[in-house]
Amino acid sequence: MEITELSADDEVGCAEAVAVDSAGWKLDRPEMLQHTPRSFANMLRYGWDLVPPKAYLAREDGTPVGLLTVNVPKHENTNQTWIDVKVHPDHRGRGIGSALVGYGENLTRELGRNVVGFGGLDLPKAEAFAQRHGFEQKAIEVNRRQELAGLDWGIVQRLYDEAVAASSAYELVKFTGSLPEDMLDGMVAVTESINDAPKDDLDVDDDVYSPERIRAYEEAQAKSDHTLYRVVARKKDTGELAGHTVVAVEQERPHIGEQHDTAVSRDHRGHRLGALLKSAMLLWLRDEEPALTQIDTWNAESNNHMIGINEQLNYKIVSRFLIYQKPL
């Protein structure tokens, strides 16, 4: 078996990687959102915020059989890597996945890091695979999807109206694309509020943000052909930023949106700002993105407050992921 690093400019290699990835999802959980060759190449170029992952394709006699993706955090958790392993269903059970895990662990050591993270579907075979390689379960993440065709817009409007009444000291501002320069510093604190979300037993640092990192995120998303929609809650009397929500809509597949973040600063909680932001975003997207039919979001299974809001807005579970870590 030959394992080679993929380049974003390798159109054939990226298409082969997506074929391996998609074949696995179609067997294990066909509802999951899957890459296209274009979106996969953009991931390798830009990542989430200009810190792209590395990807490695395993071939046997020229046939693609497995895929390894390695994320190397830059801003925090600099002792760790996070790996993802996929094996084409036609080639499972022959040690390819184990070889890719070992390859990822060796890369981690070469980078001078000593912890590997790994996520797998909540399926018995995936759990057995992780345990066999010495990974310990630390958290559960849940992927939920909002199908807009089945959404009761009356409920959305009522949620919005009730939240407006409870948050009369605040106003909403909306932006597409990059934030204005004078809001960057205030948005750092709002974005770091995500650190209050449950981490369960994960051995991870708090996320660290800066104006430069926010700009890197905006640039990476724009170059990845995503349109960013952001709704920000702001205190009327002081202008202080209190919370935000962000949805990215794909340009290649404009029916697909992803909820990238919803956060409310600790000092401004208790005014139903989370419900206000999410319902306002939906009403805005209904007008701006008529082709949009679904929005995916991810939450820790223990994040009961945000899940409660999502369930009011017709989010349904697509999959549960078990999150593992392993010291080397």
Side-chain angles (χ1 to χ4, degrees):
M1 184 173 67
E2 180 185 23
I3 300 175
T4 56
E5 184 172 1
L6 285 172
S7 163
D9 296 323
D10 179 359
E11 293 184 7
V12 173
C14 287
E16 290 176 331
V18 169
V20 170
D21 193 43
S22 296
W25 286 128
K26 288 175 182 176
L27 177 65
D28 298 326
R29 195 58 52 84
E31 302 86 359
M32 287 289 297
L33 185 60
Q34 298 170 23
H35 272 296
T36 67
R38 176 176 163 186
S39 72
F40 187 86
N42 282 335
M43 178 187 72
L44 294 185
R45 287 191 180 97
Y46 310 117
W48 177 265
D49 55 6
L50 301 183
V51 185
K54 300 178 181 293
Y56 302 84
L57 192 62
R59 296 182 178 92
E60 288 184 341
D61 298 325
T63 300
V65 295
L67 176 66
L68 168 69
T69 307
V70 182
N71 281 278
V72 184
K74 172 184 176 182
H75 301 284
E76 60 277 312
N77 301 311
T78 55
N79 67 320
Q80 304 181 15
T81 65
W82 286 84
I83 67 172
D84 182 64
V85 172
K86 296 284 171 43
V87 178
H88 194 288
D90 294 344
H91 300 276
R92 291 179 178 176
R94 298 193 290 110
I96 295 169
S98 297
L100 290 173
V101 168
Y103 197 92
E105 291 178 356
N106 287 336
L107 285 172
T108 302
R109 293 187 182 94
E110 289 172 7
L111 291 167
R113 303 188 176 211
N114 59 11
V115 175
V116 178
F118 174 74
L121 284 168
D122 183 14
L123 296 173
K125 58 184 179 182
E127 187 173 5
F129 179 83
Q131 292 176 351
R132 190 162 65 247
H133 290 90
F135 287 92
E136 182 180 355
Q137 183 185 327
K138 298 287 189 175
I140 300 174
E141 292 280 334
V142 181
N143 173 207
R144 285 177 170 82
R145 177 170 299 152
Q146 184 181 53
E147 298 286 356
L148 299 184
L151 186 58
D152 185 335
W153 289 99
I155 291 176
V156 178
Q157 187 65 54
R158 184 165 62 252
L159 189 66
Y160 174 77
D161 292 340
E162 292 171 352
V164 166
S167 58
S168 58
Y170 298 86
E171 62 184 357
L172 297 182
V173 287
K174 301 173 184 177
F175 302 98
T176 304
S178 298
L179 284 166
E181 193 71 27
D182 61 0
M183 294 183 72
L184 272 178
D185 289 337
M187 190 53 66
V188 169
V190 170
T191 307
E192 286 185 340
S193 299
I194 198 67
N195 290 317
D196 291 338
K199 296 182 176 69
D200 298 329
D201 296 324
L202 284 169
D203 178 18
V204 292
D205 303 328
D206 282 350
D207 290 346
V208 178
Y209 289 94
S210 65
E212 294 76 19
R213 189 175 184 184
I214 291 173
R215 284 291 190 238
Y217 160 74
E218 292 171 342
E219 180 181 346
Q221 297 303 315
K223 288 181 174 178
S224 298
D225 301 323
H226 294 161
T227 302
L228 287 182
Y229 290 87
R230 190 190 318 251
V231 181
V232 180
R234 181 168 62 188
K235 196 80 184 298
K236 290 178 181 178
D237 57 353
T238 65
E240 182 180 4
L241 304 188
H244 78 149
T245 189
V246 186
V247 170
V249 177
E250 292 192 15
Q251 295 172 20
E252 181 184 8
R253 298 177 292 182
H255 66 287
I256 292 174
E258 291 187 72
Q259 180 79 64
H260 278 189
D261 192 16
T262 299
V264 175
S265 295
R266 190 175 303 161
D267 293 343
H268 298 278
R269 292 172 189 164
H271 302 282
R272 302 204 62 187
L273 291 180
L276 177 69
L277 289 162
K278 289 181 75 74
S279 57
M281 173 66 80
L282 284 170
L283 295 169
W284 186 26
L285 288 173
R286 180 178 61 177
D287 295 333
E288 296 293 324
E289 293 284 349
L292 185 66
T293 62
Q294 66 182 63
I295 301 175
D296 275 32
T297 191
W298 290 82
N299 299 104
E301 190 171 59
S302 55
N303 192 348
N304 294 322
H305 177 71
M306 190 56 67
I307 290 170
I309 295 174
N310 287 339
E311 288 181 345
Q312 290 183 67
L313 294 171
N314 199 43
Y315 276 93
K316 307 296 184 185
I317 291 176
V318 175
S319 60
R320 297 170 79 247
F321 268 70
L322 307 184
I323 312 300
Y324 304 89
Q325 287 181 304
K326 174 182 177 179
L328 297 181

